[in-house]
Amino acid sequence: MSGQDEVRGFDENPAARLEAAFSAVAAGEMHTLPFYQEQIPIKAVGFARFEGEWLGVMLTPWTLSLLLLPGSAWPRRTLGERLGLALQFGHATFVVSELEGIGQYLSCSLLSPPTPGMSGEQAQQLALDLSRLVTALPVRDPDAPRDPARRSLFAPRCG
C-alpha cells in the first residue's frame, strides 16, 4: 500500500489534536449556526486504545459523536462511506470523515445537536458516561445457560 492509499495511524492519544482541530472548525462559521450551543465545550473524552485503534467520544457545541481513529495505518476510504462495526455494546454505523490536522477517521453521531438547554457540565458528564459505556465489557451471569431457549426443555409443561 503506498502512502497516498493509506491513512497514517496515531502512536499517541489523539485527544489534544482532536480538541485543537474541532476548535478550529468552531472558530470558523460553525459558531454562527442556530444549533451551535456556546455553553458546551469542545472535549475529546475517554480516548483509549480499543483493539489497536483509538476510540472515544467527541463533544462539541454542535454534536456528540463516537470517534474511531487509526492506531496503525488504515486504507484510505471514500469520504461519506458508511461502515457498520461491532463494538462491545452492540453494532454502530460510522461514517468516514476527514479533518485537517487529523486526517480520516470514523464518526458515529450519538446526539446532534446536543439537547437545547443542556449545560456544559451535563454535556461533559454525558460524554464521559458514554465513553465508559462503549468500552465496557459485557457482563454475563456465569450460571446462566449459554442458550436461554434450552431452559424450556427442563420447564414443567402447562396445559
Side-chain angles (χ1 to χ4, degrees):
M1 196 170 8
S2 75
Q4 291 188 356
D5 295 334
E6 67 182 20
V7 176
R8 189 170 164 259
F10 290 88
D11 293 328
E12 309 237 347
N13 189 321
R17 289 180 63 182
L18 284 165
E19 289 177 2
F22 277 93
S23 291
V25 171
E29 292 186 21
M30 184 60 76
H31 74 277
T32 64
L33 297 174
F35 51 82
Y36 188 93
Q37 297 185 52
E38 197 163 309
Q39 77 279 9
I40 296 179
I42 294 173
K43 294 281 185 187
V45 181
F47 276 83
R49 289 281 190 168
F50 179 78
E51 295 187 13
E53 314 306 338
W54 293 99
L55 180 68
V57 174
M58 192 70 216
L59 173 64
T60 71
W62 62 92
T63 192
L64 179 66
S65 297
L66 182 60
L67 300 187
L68 187 67
L69 288 87
S72 58
W74 283 358
R76 183 164 296 283
R77 297 189 175 277
T78 303
L79 292 181
E81 180 182 352
R82 297 168 63 88
L83 299 169
L85 299 178
L87 298 171
Q88 300 289 9
F89 68 91
H91 290 82
T93 300
F94 287 79
V95 176
V96 177
S97 304
E98 189 166 15
L99 195 55
E100 190 171 329
I102 298 297
Q104 284 193 350
Y105 61 96
L106 301 180
S107 175
C108 175
S109 178
L110 301 173
L111 186 62
S112 185
T115 305
M118 180 182 285
S119 73
E121 186 177 283
Q122 290 169 324
Q124 289 181 77
Q125 185 62 53
L126 178 59
L128 181 60
D129 292 346
L130 288 168
S131 73
R132 290 176 178 156
L133 175 69
V134 300
T135 58
L137 294 174
V139 177
R140 296 188 183 182
D141 179 352
D143 297 324
R146 292 187 188 269
D147 182 3
R150 291 191 56 157
R151 283 186 180 177
S152 64
L153 292 174
F154 303 107
R157 297 194 182 231
C158 297

